[in-house]
Amino acid sequence: MNRRDFFKIVATTGATAAAAGCQQATEQILPLVVPNENLVPGVASWFATVCRECPAGCGVLARNRDGRVVKLEGNPEHPVNHGSLCARGQAALQGLYHPDRFAGPQRREGAAFKPLGWDDAIKLFGDKLGAVKGKPRALAMISQLESGSLGGLLDRWNQALGGRPRTTLEPFGYEAIRAANRVTFGRDAVPYHAFEDAEVILSFGADFLETWVSNSQAARGFARMHTFRDGKAGTFIHVEPRQSLTASNADEWVRNAPGTEAAVAFAVLKLMLEGGVVADKRYGEAVAGIEPKKVAEESGVSLEALHRMARTFAGARPGLAVGGGVAVTGSQATQLQIAINLLNAAAGNVGKTVRFGPDHAYGRVTPYAEVAKLMQAMAGGEVEVLVLGTNVNPAFTLPGGLKTADAIRKVPFVVSFANLPDETTALAHLVLPDTHWLEAWGDYAPHEGVLGLMQPTMKPIRDARPVGDVLLSAGRAALGTEEGKGPLPWTTFEQYLKAAWEPAVKGQWELVLHQGGLWRDVTPVAVTVAPKVERGDGATAKLDGPAAGFALLPYPSLRFYDGRSATRSWLQEVPDPMTQVAWDPWVEINTQTAARLGIRQGDVVQVKSPHGAIEVSAYLSPSIHPDAVAIPIGHHYAPYHVRLKYVPVTAPTNPMALLPAAADGASGAPAFLSVKVTLAKTGGRRPLALLQATHDQDHREIAQHVELAKAREDALRGARPMPGHLSMYGAQRYKEYRWGMTVDVDACIGCQACAVACQAENNVPVVGKAEAAYGRQVHWLRLERWAEGDPAQPHNMFLPMFCQHCEVAPCEPVCPVFAAYRTEEGLNGQVYNRCVGTRYCGNNCPYHVRRFNWWNYEVPAPLDVQLNPDVTVRQLGVMEKCTMCIQRIVAGKDHARDEKRAVRDGDILTACQQTCPTQAITFGNLKDDGSAVSKLGHSPRAYHVLDELGTRPGVTYLRKVVRSSGPAPASGKGHA
């Protein structure tokens, strides 16, 4: 709205008010989620619950303002994430307020869905259940991993109605880890991996900083062992055919030929034995057939690198070997895990960094081989009623060779509890939308010793009902029983949940609810290596397809996981940290391979396997193995993304369509690394939205590094003052506070959690692919990746870049209306209603961190309900940028004033700082010499970006510490 329209409205409403005289104002009574005494208008209330965006089960605190949740943050008391939250967890609010959520029950009529009342829907469901009651194996249920009370209720419901055993579907179930542990240790479990206690981590394709098992927990542990603190820093070596985000954080990334991971792991063990590190003859028998020289030739990993890995890992006290990432899970997945188990056992790591006892809930996932049998039964007409739980989308997440969609179509009656449309729900006959996990009661145990409690944090946005309530009602209708009687006596799932928790809470329900659950220490279970160890098989994984083809590496998306988070526009617009691509999927092709095939970046390429074909844009990378191509799993769009023209309509680009139905015989796992594909140009172009044009610093030293030995020497000598710069401007005086930040580049892993948290906190709009590609994205915080050294094996540094809050700010003197100004507390303020949009400030900012609103960006209902009421929503023609969460600073100062004290260090956490799993970001008062931010600002590793300009930034960066064990990065110039 412009000023002229504003005064028109003011004049009109003023006349109307005068005519109304003394008429009584109309009041609208709004229902509150919780009793009035617990909810004060304008004051935030916090509710503890558990994130269900993936099986990691992180603790969450939901910030409720006036009956609506506006922000999610990690629960500091929860033992899984300790207050951090990944990008997918931050974006969960967009699932709660999603514009495409079903408004109520839907019944299929022909090719379309029609609305249906809840009573009629439950009656229909109950009648169908009654018809199959007593028929053996005619009823089937597929749910996500439910390790708490809901899982128990589902099993009891299935048993009461005579259905098949419940199928727990998680596309990434780590069956190979379980199978190898059965063989090696006699224990079917996914153990706890103590990254924080390791001196050396040796990873064979485990993307533990992205999606592997519990990424937030692993990232926190990794930061504790790897980040340079007090002169100590661990070592990380990663083996993988492509440079993933996890590989890019390694001190040494070893690029191997696809499918040779098991051979490399056995070769490292063999060299440890030859070096006299291990004396147990059982290990010698396991690697008797392994020849390290031959492995080096077949894998492309030099013999020198194999020796270096063996020496480094053997010398760790303790070390940790991990593996089993999705992209390297093929016919040799179990052999790889057996080799890893033997490495850990030989080095004495079992019981130290590999702990059985606090086992992960993944041990309850139904093996893929059993899921495949269910699909065959459905295709054969054995299943008459199929019940699909929340967050399961088998038509999208299972291999295309299984022909899941065709099998589902042969089931006479399919019921889905999805609350959003997806590929599987489109095949259902009845949709009974479940509440979002932020609207529901529940619990979840991510691993032994941790049981998180879930509670409704607000009233349901749509006409949805908890899946437990619906199953209880429909089940009683099918069984002909009443409430309080029979095998399903509970009125609601809430009643069932509280009854299950009562023995554990012992009258302390409110306390446990406030804490977010119950947790206890679990004593590690001692395990020993089996008396006889079979000889290891170091063969290369078998790949189906043409011999001249390229090994396909499908890998879970950091942003979308298996696709369940792809409907969040925040995650679509925040770029992939490695490629910096937003909105689009891509196929990663080696630069030399692409040149040979005549493929340019942005060309639409047909990727074809013996089981299917997709068309996707090409992204050229010099680092991926020349004999491989990689495609992220999980990319698809929500209907409103197309409706609002964020993206054009595109054909499916799911790499799962290219995979066979076969399962690994040893573990029952799906074979993700199983096919070779061919590449063919289609003649079309679909340019990618790249938000960072180059990864070459061009000698600007934006992201800086220091050798480990030099960092230790400087730490002993103490900090040296930063070089000053001649300036006509005197130093600014600060009365009470001077706010500032430090960012430890050595701790930053590039996970993008900070960028999404900033977007959620500060009402940053979504602009869509076309605007983002044009450079008009409005992110206040961007994560830059800078690469140095050999383009084929670069060393990467990740650097969060936002407003530097310069003391001598180039943006301020060029503003003709003084919209940009310096505050008394060291911040660069921006007066939105004074800004006239000249964009002089943006042109004069050397850090390119100021954003202009080219449009009044649409926020479709009910996403507008999520907007933070403490932050102004900017309009067309206004410049904006990072404020260091000024609303949080004001709230922190108000709280301290109420308690008649100054702000203490740690009272105020910015959104990016609070969510960071590695604690790379620190905020505080630079005038307080005892504050963490002030101490870090005087670190010998401290520097300012573009310091030579003399802008005196309020943000200090700490140099990345690089190890000299592997190839060292070149200083200065990087590569494009």
Side-chain angles (χ1 to χ4, degrees), residues 535-587:
R535 179 172 294 192
D537 180 6
T540 302
K542 298 176 182 178
L543 303 180
D544 185 18
F550 302 92
L552 175 65
L553 305 175
Y555 62 95
S557 167
L558 165 71
R559 298 174 294 161
F560 310 136
Y561 194 60
D562 61 356
R564 67 186 72 178
S565 297
T567 58
R568 285 57 160 158
S569 55
W570 289 344
L571 297 178
Q572 290 280 359
E573 190 143 299
V574 71
D576 173 78
M578 292 303 296
T579 63
Q580 291 294 316
V581 174
W583 286 104
D584 273 324
W586 64 90
V587 54

Side-chain angles (χ1 to χ4, degrees), residues 378 383-386 406-414 429:
M378 290 161 52
V383 177
E384 297 181 27
V385 175
L386 174 64
D406 293 340
I408 294 176
R409 289 189 184 97
K410 293 185 178 181
V411 178
F413 192 73
V414 179
H429 302 92

